[in-house]
Amino acid sequence: MTSSLPQHSSSSTTTTTTTNNNNNTNPPSSILIVGSGLFGLSTAYALTRRREFINTSITVIDRSDPSSQSTFPSPDAASIDTSRIVRADYADHAYAALCDEAQLIWRQQDKPTDLGAQGRYHETGLLVVGDATSSAPVADPPVEGGASESSHKKLTGMDYARKSWENVSSLASRDPMLAERIRELPNADAICEVLGTGGNSGAWGYINYNSGWTDAGASMAWLYEQVRQTGRVNFIAGTVESLEHDDTGVTGVRLQDQRVLTADLVMVAAGAWTGSFVDLDGQAVATGQVLGYLNITEEEQEILGKMPVILNLSSGLFIIPPTNRVLKVARHAYGYTNPRTVHFPPLPVSPTATSNCLVSIPRTSLHDPDLVIPAEGEADLRAALREMTPLPGLVDRPFSKTRLCWYSDTRTADFLIDYHPHWKNLFVATGDSGHAFKFLPVIGDKIVDCIQRNCPPEFKEKWAWKEGEGAKALFTEDGSRGGKPGLILEEELLKSLSV
């Protein structure tokens, strides 16, 4: 079995990120990657395909067991789910173009081993809408360890939708077949007609039949199989307790069972858990997002299975077409933070700094089987069903499952992919901000470019480590988020008990 991803070879090791202590351009003899989610696993794969790293040993450490298909990657990881949207529909042209590049690979479905084959990719179309009167939500007063109001000006959902329309139209203009699959929907009636469920959402929008969704769990299984077949990557099951370091640099990791793993370069790609290991100096925070799943009938599957993905950029609410009689509804929002005092403080910002022990860390059903989503979030999901898929008996049907999906959120929704400026031999890849999965076919190569100090120019500033962010409050203000900023998970769960 062979991979369908194109081979990539870097022709330059020019420095494009500013770092104080990581100027050695020689490939490390060993790389240890903490986390086997999208960023970690795709980077491991890309490393095996670069001739510069042919003599580098590559190890991936994860708390789940790679020999068990039911637990690897960990089922509470953000990269594991029934579906993720694949869209070049971005207000930011650089991300739109990057997904356009990725979709060339998602669309390859001729062979069973192609990424998009065997039901892993579905180009059902994406209906992007915005509300006519949407404004930036008002945050609660700042809360220590949680999200709070930001001074960064927020785009409205309608702003984002219109900029996205401009970008995808521009990208598609090179190919008449792609261009004719994008159509403006100037009013609610036009939106209702395209949605095809009897529902409606938004005052203006467009349909892009060049976008769709992927089976995230199946796609990660595909990626793991590609990595496994290289024979180059050593997978270790274990829970990282802390990073090992000397006075100037990181030397490895210590596991809960007190094993110590060492490497010339340590890359932390632990998603929303990254802040538990490295003080990110206010650049990224773990936020929980609500998801709900409904069992539906064959008749409902027949109707809803024909709908496009719908995403309201003002409310953040979206619904993905059901498969196997399961409908997923979710909210792309400011989310909930979960500030906790950690027993093992993360690596401080610098060797002379003090560790910040108050960190927002994911709380999931894997360790809390009775965990449910807050009533505030469920009410929004019900609103989405009522508005977008108003079939009789569907809106008030009990969810078969709910889940908190944990993002690593940055202020601008840009990823954080860079060497640490104050610790030698430490590279960080995080800040998915809830929109990274679509880049699965290409993001590993981009991360390796950054490891080789050859970051793509359009992302050099976006993905760089940004100093001095720690004093500022953090929530994502790219215009795509719904809900209310500043919500604390524990507080919202307590409110739910009184509902």
Side-chain angles (χ1 to χ4, degrees):
M1 189 182 297
T2 58
S3 164
S4 63
L5 298 190
Q7 291 285 346
H8 181 100
S9 177
S10 172
S11 59
S12 172
T13 56
T14 303
T15 299
T16 60
T17 55
T18 302
T19 61
N20 294 335
N21 299 308
N22 294 286
N23 297 318
N24 182 13
T25 58
N26 295 323
S29 62
S30 58
I31 296 178
L32 174 61
I33 300 173
V34 179
S36 66
L38 173 67
F39 282 177
L41 202 56
S42 64
T43 300
Y45 190 36
L47 286 168
T48 68
R49 298 154 63 81
R50 293 285 180 98
R51 63 175 180 268
E52 297 91 337
F53 295 91
I54 193 170
N55 295 317
T56 299
S57 68
I58 306 163
T59 300
V60 174
I61 174 77
D62 197 276
R63 55 200 167 96
S64 56
D65 184 357
S67 66
S68 173
Q69 293 184 352
S70 62
T71 62
F72 184 86
S74 181
D76 61 352
S79 53
I80 302 301
D81 194 13
T82 57
S83 53
R84 287 288 182 269
I85 299 174
V86 177
R87 60 178 174 96
D89 305 78
Y90 276 90
D92 186 304
H93 180 75
Y95 288 103
L98 185 62
C99 185
D100 190 55
E101 178 184 342
Q103 283 184 294
L104 296 176
I105 302 171
W106 281 114
R107 292 183 181 125
Q108 295 174 9
Q109 301 180 1
D110 293 338
K111 303 188 299 293
T113 53
D114 287 339
L115 173 58
Q118 297 184 323
R120 286 183 286 268
Y121 178 62
H122 306 262
E123 204 155 87
T124 58
L126 171 64
L127 176 54
V128 176
V129 301
D131 294 338
T133 55
S134 62
S135 59
V138 177
D140 289 332
V143 177
E144 185 178 11
S148 53
E149 191 171 6
S150 170
S151 60
H152 183 81
K153 185 178 182 299
K154 177 185 182 297
L155 291 176
T156 68
M158 184 64 82
D159 293 335
Y160 191 111
R162 291 190 180 278
K163 288 178 178 290
S164 174
W165 156 255
E166 294 171 2
N167 282 330
V168 293
S169 297
S170 175
L171 288 169
S173 64
R174 69 184 187 275
D175 185 334
M177 291 185 63
L178 294 176
E180 68 182 15
R181 288 164 59 83
I182 305 174
R183 178 161 54 94
E184 183 181 8
L185 304 173
N187 52 50
D189 288 342
I191 293 169
C192 180
E193 181 181 356
V194 168
L195 182 56
T197 65
N200 207 337
S201 184
W204 177 93
Y206 67 90
I207 180 68
N208 181 5
Y209 285 110
N210 300 313
S211 294
W213 61 277
T214 176
D215 183 327
S219 297
M220 285 299 291
W222 176 91
L223 180 59
Y224 169 68
E225 183 61 19
Q226 308 310 307
V227 176
R228 188 191 65 80
Q229 288 186 30
T230 68
R232 289 279 318 280
V233 178
N234 178 33
F235 287 91
I236 296 178
T239 300
V240 174
E241 185 176 88
S242 61
L243 301 186
E244 291 282 285
H245 62 89
D246 55 26
D247 290 342
T248 60
V250 171
T251 59
V253 300
R254 179 177 295 275
L255 307 185
Q256 280 187 351
D257 62 10
Q258 298 308 300
R259 282 182 294 168
V260 173
L261 308 177
T262 61
D264 288 346
L265 177 66
V266 174
M267 170 176 157
V268 180
W273 284 265
T274 301
S276 302
F277 307 123
V278 182
D279 187 335
L280 297 172
D281 196 21
Q283 297 175 92
V285 64
T287 66
Q289 312 287 331
V290 291
L291 286 72
Y293 303 82
L294 284 170
N295 292 328
I296 62 176
T297 66
E298 288 286 0
E299 293 76 16
E300 291 165 340
Q301 174 71 48
E302 178 66 20
I303 296 169
L304 300 178
K306 298 174 183 177
M307 68 180 286
V309 178
I310 178 169
L311 169 61
N312 186 315
L313 287 164
S314 298
S315 66
L317 296 168
F318 65 93
I319 295 180
I320 294 177
T323 56
N324 301 319
R325 293 172 50 189
V326 176
L327 179 68
K328 172 184 167 181
V329 56
R331 185 180 67 182
H332 183 62
Y334 292 99
Y336 312 103
T337 55
N338 185 41
R340 288 289 182 270
T341 300
V342 293
H343 183 63
F344 295 98
L347 186 77
V349 172
S350 72
T352 58
T354 302
S355 294
N356 177 16
C357 295
L358 189 62
V359 182
S360 178
I361 57 175
R363 179 176 173 183
T364 76
S365 57
L366 192 64
H367 298 103
D368 184 359
D370 296 326
L371 180 65
V372 296
I373 61 174
E376 175 274 338
E378 179 171 350
D380 252 13
L381 299 187
R382 297 288 178 194
L385 293 170
R386 186 176 301 108
E387 183 177 76
M388 299 172 177
T389 57
L391 276 59
L394 190 64
V395 173
D396 296 320
R397 186 174 304 168
F399 286 116
S400 58
K401 182 178 75 169
T402 61
R403 177 189 176 191
L404 287 172
C405 177
W406 287 88
Y407 295 178
S408 174
D409 265 341
T410 65
R411 301 175 196 284
T412 58
D414 290 312
F415 307 150
L416 173 55
I417 303 174
D418 200 358
Y419 283 95
H420 197 291
H422 303 297
W423 291 98
K424 293 180 181 179
N425 311 321
L426 175 60
F427 189 88
V428 175
T430 191
D432 61 89
S433 300
H435 69 98
F437 196 89
K438 63 183 68 64
F439 303 115
L440 183 151
V442 297
I443 192 63
D445 271 322
K446 307 305 180 187
I447 294 174
V448 175
D449 286 343
C450 294
I451 290 174
Q452 294 188 280
R453 298 176 177 80
N454 192 26
C455 180
E458 65 272 25
F459 293 112
K460 182 178 178 181
E461 291 186 9
K462 294 178 185 294
W463 294 353
W465 184 282
K466 299 170 181 64
E467 300 273 16
E469 297 289 295
K472 306 173 187 177
L474 194 166
F475 42 76
T476 303
E477 296 286 23
D478 69 337
S480 71
R481 300 302 181 97
K484 182 181 180 181
L487 299 182
I488 307 299
L489 178 60
E490 187 168 6
E491 293 176 1
E492 294 306 312
L493 289 174
L494 288 173
K495 291 178 186 177
S496 301
L497 295 177
S498 61
V499 174

